[in-house]
Amino acid sequence: MSYDPHISLRKNISNVILLSSIILILLVPYLKNIFIPLGLSFFLSIFLDPVAIKLESRGFSRPFSILVLIILFTGFTIIFLLRFGYVINSEINQINKLTDPSPLTFKLKDIPALGYNNFFQQSLMKFHAFFMYLVEKSHQILPSDFSIVLLIIIVPVMTFLLLKDGYYLKKSILQILPNRYFEVT
């Protein structure tokens, strides 16, 4: 029996990837304070990058155009939260008060196409329980008031860095990839 170093290397790499994935999945609940701002910054940088490129083509420097976009977006976000934050919070509180689906079943039983029966009522109860579970879990995902203030500070900074150095980040990731995976990636 001969020793093949390529098989051993592939096996070790797959074991490391599997172990890293398991550790990452176990740490996700504890790292949500990192993933939420990073995810918001990533998606924000995707949406603001074309505007930054357009401003850059008009003669502005890249850092200046990104800074203007970040200031405008942060300002609009703060104004939106100050204007509509109370309304959104009261709507979330109203959703939390939905504990009994009986008014909904009372209104839906008048619709002739639904044919009010036991199956419909059980399905509605299961849907309501699932909906309430999602609402309960969404409060655990959403940050507290203090974290929102930190998000308003951290997300623009991370977005600025992703927009400013995003090209170099993509380039360095693509240089790591082997040529045969380049097109797929």
Side-chain angles (χ1 to χ4, degrees):
M1 182 176 241
S2 66
Y3 174 74
D4 188 8
H6 297 293
I7 293 175
S8 177
L9 180 64
R10 276 190 234 138
K11 187 176 180 181
N12 286 339
I13 289 175
S14 65
N15 288 339
V16 167
I17 291 173
L18 179 65
L19 182 64
S20 300
S21 301
I22 291 171
I23 290 172
L24 184 65
I25 289 170
L26 292 174
L27 290 177
V28 163
Y30 303 107
L31 298 177
K32 73 178 181 181
N33 292 333
I34 294 171
F35 286 132
I36 289 174
L38 185 61
L40 287 172
S41 299
F42 179 72
F43 286 116
L44 193 58
S45 68
I46 288 173
F47 291 119
L48 292 180
D49 191 41
V51 181
I53 290 172
K54 187 73 170 176
L55 286 174
E56 206 175 356
S57 70
R58 302 271 178 164
F60 296 107
S61 67
R62 179 94 174 157
F64 179 74
S65 61
I66 294 169
L67 187 62
V68 167
L69 287 173
I70 297 295
I71 290 171
L72 287 174
F73 185 80
T74 304
F76 284 130
T77 303
I78 291 172
I79 290 170
F80 178 80
L81 288 176
L82 289 174
R83 176 78 170 103
F84 297 109
Y86 177 75
V87 174
I88 294 170
N89 191 26
S90 65
E91 289 296 324
I92 290 174
N93 288 336
Q94 288 296 326
I95 289 173
N96 284 337
K97 291 179 183 176
L98 292 175
T99 56
D100 183 26
S102 59
L104 183 62
T105 58
F106 180 72
K107 290 179 183 178
L108 290 177
K109 76 177 183 178
D110 295 335
I111 300 173
L114 293 177
Y116 187 76
N117 58 27
N118 194 25
F119 174 74
F120 174 71
Q121 186 176 7
Q122 288 176 353
S123 299
L124 188 62
M125 296 298 259
K126 286 181 183 178
F127 175 76
H128 183 266
F130 179 70
F131 180 73
M132 292 309 297
Y133 172 76
L134 289 178
V135 168
E136 180 184 322
K137 289 296 179 185
S138 70
H139 278 290
Q140 293 175 0
I141 293 173
L142 292 175
S144 66
D145 294 338
F146 180 69
S147 295
I148 289 175
V149 172
L150 288 177
L151 279 177
I152 291 173
I153 296 169
I154 291 172
V155 169
V157 171
M158 290 174 71
T159 305
F160 178 83
L161 295 173
L162 283 174
L163 283 171
K164 184 178 173 295
D165 297 329
Y167 172 76
Y168 301 111
L169 183 65
K170 290 176 205 170
K171 188 177 176 181
S172 63
I173 289 172
L174 290 176
Q175 285 177 347
I176 294 172
L177 289 173
N179 286 337
R180 62 183 173 182
Y181 299 122
F182 179 77
E183 288 183 21
V184 175
T185 306

